[in-house]
Amino acid sequence: MTPISSRTAVTEQPVLDVFAERWSTRIFDPAAPLDEPAFASALEAARWAPSASNTQPWRAIVARRGTAEHRAVLDALMGFNQVWADAASALVVFVAETAREDGEPLTWAVYDTGQAAAYFTIQAHAGGLVTHQMGGFHRDQVAAAFDIEARFDPISVVAVGLLGDPAGATEAIRERESLPRTRRPIAETLLVDA
Ligand SMILES: Cc1cc2nc3c(=O)[nH]c(=O)nc-3n(C[C@H](O)[C@H](O)[C@H](O)COP(=O)(O)O)c2cc1C
């Protein structure tokens, strides 16, 4: 079994360390408070993500463990996500602004929100945090819990915190953490490589 501590990607080409070393853990330290400076930097990185016409069509709900807001986000997670994500120091909901106040659609909102989340995760890992993005949650439940306007769409929940002790995790989670990380080869991704 691959040891949990060596989940660094074996890349086809050199990349920045943080890209190879970022991975989605399901083992968070349930006692670790949020590393506020590292977290603030991750939000700052998201802030500087590019977006169509600089519309920045993203918002975030930050729910630190122990708050009612955290409980509300946790309750909206689907199935297995609820089992491990509660140990993260915070759950962050990335929300896309899909239309302006006047109703004009923001066509790239979901794309741009994904970029902001990606920037967030990369900066978080560079700062010593670990993250795990989730699409498995009830969007309507989150929207209702936080009274979000219809033109905003919750897209992903990101668990963020410190890496926990694998010894404290269930066997099922330890096994999933130990699977090798894989990707499709670049040659199969390029539809055209003229
Ligand atoms: C948009 C999105 C939704 C995801 N949803 C879930 C989820 O609901 N539950 C989960 O355990 N992992 C989820 N993941 C994590 C992916 O399974 C994970 O990123 C992928 O397997 C690659 O693993 P790595 O991030 O460790 O490289 C999601 C990731 C993304 C980007």
Side-chain angles (χ1 to χ4, degrees), residues 7 22-24 26 81 84 132-137 156 176 181 183:
R7 301 218 76 206
R22 182 218 58 83
W23 57 288
S24 302
R26 291 188 180 86
N81 288 341
W84 53 267
H132 194 134
Q133 301 180 64
M134 289 168 275
F137 71 101
S156 63
R176 288 174 84 148
R181 295 181 55 235
R183 290 297 191 268

Side-chain angles (χ1 to χ4, degrees), residues 96-123:
E97 181 186 12
T98 60
R100 296 182 195 273
E101 265 185 295
D102 63 7
E104 189 193 335
L106 287 164
T107 311
W108 303 102
V110 174
Y111 182 93
D112 291 341
T113 300
Q115 284 214 98
Y119 272 46
F120 174 91
T121 60
I122 292 296
Q123 178 65 45

